[in-house]
């Protein structure tokens, strides 16, 4: 503690902190939020579509008329009112008969994942997750000192045979897989959805293996083509922990999510949440409760579906028109993201500085793997920008890719960037939460 | 997972969860929030004293005029605007020259403590803390699987010689003490303040021992008699992590706190916070920023000081008038709490059901120790109830105590409750956050 080194506290940190470093990629993302950059990197909903005057009026009344409750401490589990509304919301998704007593309100879906990790994961435990998977979940598992084993997907989502193989491999290695973390519907970042048939297969496989399932469902309501398949939790009451959030259907700025968990687990989650944040914000909970009770929120979700479908179409059309040959991508039927596979030889991480210079941003695929793969992929978001901006973003991005490919054609593979594997700390390749 | 036992997940939980149980005391606290019960148990500020109409109007404008920012994701560290205001607030407490870049906005002071615990504590590490100490901090250290060693206080706060002894004892035991957790000003629950002279002594001792200091300062602005002594962080820039919150000076329902930490540590805290909650609420941050910028918040703090001083006086007067002989208590010069030592033979935990039956609630002393001591103590709060209610609460409580003492006089010590020591899990004796 004498100020002679850059970090005087290195010998005091806990083991989980070792190797936790920020990366140059994060610095690039700071630039990506400038207005002249078309950002395809974020995961932000299009808040401008909300009836902001009415929302503001509602928020004002929560302070002036109900301030002695909404500005005060609340209970760790969250208010009964909100938990009852949450059960109604889940019923719309096909999860019937859930008890408000089994719901824990959290600080967004992120805290829900963190609480489940703290509840179940000891250092060295294994988590199975889709490859690629949500960068924020990978950060949670890394902080819990757990190992992530990725299970591959195809256009129908997680591949059941690959899941069985992964479970067997973990068992052979003498480690313990505690749960499968999955986003079955409109997956982040892949944009694919687990098919009806596979949902039953995946549940059967996990049940046979004694593997818990953490089902993350932030996007299920944002379907572009009819309703999404029933959540896993709607098919099995036991062994499935359901996580969702109001960040995509109402407002991420309030940070309100939830977990649905069996009673004995729920009690422990509440105690963990109290040790973490004491209680979720009473004001934010009251805001969501009022929004669900007094405002036409189902119509608002429908409106989001339409806006995002139009934007997905604009993005996919622009990609078909402009992307270099050899580029492929998924075809999302809901949610916020498209997953792109680059032509052979291109490296999404190495290309980032040139993309930013060309005023377009994306998230390199490496952020979505715990094992350093993903250099040949990128995630594009279509929820935040207008159709025109999306097309302009694809135009800029395609230009950068064409240039890279031309360099490669002239100078050979040496001009390209080898698909380097890097160990651990995938989160460092990811943007901050304003872009995640 | 067959549903045959009460908790089917016991074999899957992480080690940190073992021994984490809810207690009968928590059930009692649920009753304590009924209106007919005079609760001296909580730690709630008197929100009704805020200008709620003006606050409501401000909150409404944040939604209607700034909703595309305030309802959207933000960055993990918190907004620059709020971090600049926080530096101004700290300057008022005597911490000058802090950089907004070294501030991390958190979900209340609780998340700040949790992030510091995750950053520094491995299982088995030792934390030194005042005895008694804040129940929420004990919960954090327990979740981190750390051992708490309590250091005794007297009317001038932490006893420096006892601190030196505790450090030596930990060293002898072959364990590693990572930091001293301390609330030097208007301590929760003891209500005492570390004297000027001792502040320097404590800092010197920690510096010599290479022990970091986590300074928790939620109450420093709530002084009844002149300004509080300078915070420890105002005396040493290195080795001191300063934590505070807007829960006591504005509104706990927004859940906004912060940590001031050296740059290298700050970077890691931000990554940990992103893995925990992605980002603090943009809306709550905007609300606090607006409150600090556009409303007379310093006058409001003065008004809180006056209200709480009057209530402290009412509580202490009632205690002098009504409490059984042999009862002693601290004399807080600020903050929210009085710490009571019961007459020999009374057990605050065993007495709780009778107190609730007599329509008065408090927190038994055992909640504030990690080692099961504290049965002869209780914490009383004076910030939330009116002077009349406080006196009525003391009247009811004194009645229960007199009755217990009379039973003891007739039937001998056997009628009393032996001062049983209980291992671990002190948090189970504490109320939920609405009362903590």
């Amino acid at each position: 503690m004498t100020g002679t080194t850059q970090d005087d506290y290195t010998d005091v940190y806990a083991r989980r902190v070792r190797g936790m470093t920020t990366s140059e990629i994060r610095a690039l993302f700071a630039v990506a939020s400038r207005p002249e950059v078309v950002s395809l990197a974020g995961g932000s909903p299009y808040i401008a579509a909300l009836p902001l005057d009415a929302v503001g009026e509602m928020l004002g009344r929560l302070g002036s008329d109900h301030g002695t409750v909404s500005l005060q401490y609340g209970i760790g589990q969250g208010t009964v009112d909100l938990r009852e509304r949450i059960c109604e919301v889940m019923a719309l998704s096909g999860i019937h008969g859930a008890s408000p007593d089994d719901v824990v309100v959290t600080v967004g879906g992120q805290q829900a994942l963190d609480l489940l990790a703290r509840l179940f994961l000891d250092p060295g435990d294994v988590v199975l997750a889709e490859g690629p998977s949500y960068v924020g979940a990978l950060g949670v598992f890394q902080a819990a000192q757990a190992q992530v084993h990725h299970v591959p997907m195809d256009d129908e989502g997680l591949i059941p045979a690959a899941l069985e193989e992964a479970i067997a491999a973990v068992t052979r290695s003498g480690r313990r897989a505690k749960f499968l973390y999955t986003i079955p519907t409109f997956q982040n970042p892949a944009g694919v959805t687990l098919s009806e048939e596979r949902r039953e297969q995946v549940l059967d496989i996990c049940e046979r293996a004694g593997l818990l399932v953490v089902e993350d469902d932030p996007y299920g309501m944002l379907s572009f083509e009819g309703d999404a398949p029933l959540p896993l939790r709607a098919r099995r009451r036991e062994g499935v922990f359901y996580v969702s959030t109001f960040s995509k259907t109402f407002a991420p700025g309030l940070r309100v999510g939830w977990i649905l968990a069996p009673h004995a687990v729920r009690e422990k989650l509440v105690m963990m949440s109290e040790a973490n944040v004491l209680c979720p914000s009473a004001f934010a909970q009251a805001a969501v409760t009022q929004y669900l009770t007094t405002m036409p929120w189902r119509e608002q979700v429908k409106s989001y579906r339409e806006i995002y479908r139009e934007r997905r179409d604009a993005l996919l059309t622009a990609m078909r028109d402009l992307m270099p040959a050899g580029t492929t991508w998924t075809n999302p039927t809901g949610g916020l993201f498209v997953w792109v596979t680059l032509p052979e030889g291109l490296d999404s991480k190495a290309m980032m500085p040139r993309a930013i210079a060309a005023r377009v941003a994306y998230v390199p695929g490496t952020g979505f793997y715990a094992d350093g793969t993903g250099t040949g992929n990128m995630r594009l978001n279509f929820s935040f920008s207008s159709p025109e901006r999306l097309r302009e973003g694809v135009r800029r991005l395609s230009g950068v890719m064409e240039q890279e490919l031309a360099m490669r054609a002239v100078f050979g593979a040496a001009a390209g960037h080898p698909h380097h594997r890097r160990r651990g700390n995938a989160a460092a390749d990811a943007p901050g939460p304003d872009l995640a």
Side-chain angles (χ1 to χ4, degrees), chain A:
Chain A
M1 287 181 283
T2 55
T4 50
T5 59
Q6 248 202 316
D7 186 349
D8 301 328
Y9 300 92
T10 43
D11 63 324
V12 202
Y13 291 132
R15 281 187 290 272
R16 69 177 67 82
V17 178
R18 289 180 202 159
M20 182 185 268
T21 51
T22 58
S23 78
E24 68 285 8
I25 287 279
R26 283 177 75 94
L28 281 179
F29 282 115
V31 182
S33 57
R34 291 194 190 155
E36 69 269 23
V37 176
V38 176
S39 180
L40 308 173
S44 298
Y46 185 56
I47 292 296
L50 285 173
L52 290 176
D53 281 341
V55 169
E57 206 181 302
M58 173 199 88
L59 295 171
R61 276 196 308 271
L62 285 180
S64 55
D65 302 354
H66 307 283
T68 56
V69 173
S70 71
L71 297 173
Q72 189 55 276
Y73 287 110
I75 63 169
Q77 188 177 357
T79 67
V80 177
D81 278 359
L82 178 56
R83 286 184 278 121
E84 284 172 351
R85 294 299 83 71
I86 285 172
C87 289
E88 292 166 13
V89 169
M90 289 191 291
L92 289 177
S93 297
I95 299 171
H96 296 284
S99 162
D101 192 48
D102 292 345
V103 172
V104 182
V105 179
T106 56
V107 182
Q110 187 72 29
Q111 195 212 2
L113 300 180
D114 190 51
L115 292 177
L116 288 166
R118 292 210 232 186
L119 186 67
F120 289 122
L121 299 179
D122 283 313
D125 278 347
V126 172
V127 172
L128 300 177
E130 287 126 357
S133 186
Y134 168 53
V135 57
L138 298 182
V140 164
F141 304 145
Q142 188 199 359
Q145 297 166 272
Q147 302 284 327
V148 175
H149 283 225
H150 288 293
V151 183
M153 290 177 283
D154 60 19
D155 287 346
E156 285 186 67
L158 201 66
I159 301 167
L163 174 61
E164 282 190 302
E165 236 170 75
I167 293 171
V170 172
T171 306
R172 276 197 307 274
S173 76
R175 296 193 168 224
R176 181 167 189 194
K178 285 284 182 75
F179 57 77
L180 168 69
Y181 168 74
T182 178
I183 308 170
T185 307
F186 316 134
Q187 207 251 7
N188 176 6
V192 301
T193 294
L194 189 65
S195 65
E196 285 281 352
E197 196 189 348
R198 286 196 184 172
R199 285 177 188 236
E200 292 297 331
Q201 292 169 353
V202 164
L203 284 165
D204 286 344
I205 291 168
C206 290
E207 201 170 321
R208 275 200 306 275
L211 193 68
L212 301 179
V213 177
V214 173
E215 176 179 32
D216 194 2
D217 189 26
Y219 318 108
M221 293 222 164
L222 300 174
S223 172
F224 308 148
E225 290 148 28
D227 284 339
L230 276 184
L232 303 178
R233 176 55 179 73
R235 298 157 194 267
R236 296 284 194 291
R237 296 180 65 89
E238 293 294 321
V240 180
F241 298 86
Y242 182 82
V243 170
S244 192
T245 175
F246 292 103
S247 291
K248 305 305 191 283
T249 48
F250 179 23
L254 295 171
R255 314 301 304 119
V256 180
W258 74 91
I259 311 173
L260 174 65
H263 186 77
V265 176
R266 186 278 287 164
E267 265 186 345
K268 291 183 167 58
L269 288 170
V270 170
M271 295 188 76
M272 290 215 152
S273 185
E274 289 176 4
N276 182 197
V277 298
L278 211 56
C279 54
S281 162
F283 188 85
Q285 291 181 83
V288 172
T289 306
Q290 279 297 304
Y291 182 73
L292 295 174
T293 313
T294 66
M295 301 185 71
W297 75 273
R298 287 180 195 78
E299 283 63 45
Q300 183 62 42
V301 169
K302 271 186 210 155
S303 150
Y304 272 129
R305 287 181 183 196
E306 280 156 31
I307 293 168
Y308 295 165
R309 181 175 49 216
E310 189 195 354
R311 292 177 175 197
R312 174 206 59 177
D313 291 345
L315 182 72
L316 295 187
T317 303
M319 289 177 77
R320 269 193 304 272
D321 293 349
L322 300 167
M323 278 280 173
T327 315
T328 59
W329 52 86
T330 55
N331 185 15
T333 55
L336 315 180
F337 304 110
V338 171
W339 181 248
V340 179
T341 302
L342 300 176
E344 181 64 28
L346 291 194
D347 181 323
S348 60
K349 195 181 162 191
M351 200 169 69
M352 261 293 277
R354 281 181 286 275
I356 295 285
R359 291 167 300 130
V360 61
Y362 56 83
V363 185
T366 46
F368 304 97
Y369 289 93
D371 58 7
T373 50
T375 49
N377 299 101
M378 57 172 65
R379 189 193 72 179
L380 303 184
N381 166 269
F382 54 77
S383 61
F384 190 68
S385 301
S386 67
E388 297 70 34
R389 291 276 287 178
L390 289 170
R391 190 170 180 91
E392 175 59 21
V394 171
R395 199 188 59 74
R396 295 177 187 175
L397 183 55
S398 301
V400 173
M401 288 164 65
E402 296 283 12
Q403 226 172 359
E404 294 275 305
L405 288 167
M407 292 256 290
R408 242 184 106 74
V410 173
F411 297 106
H417 311 278
H419 281 215
H420 47 84
R421 286 186 151 254
R422 198 178 31 77
R423 298 300 307 165
N425 209 17
D429 273 1
D434 50 333
L435 296 172

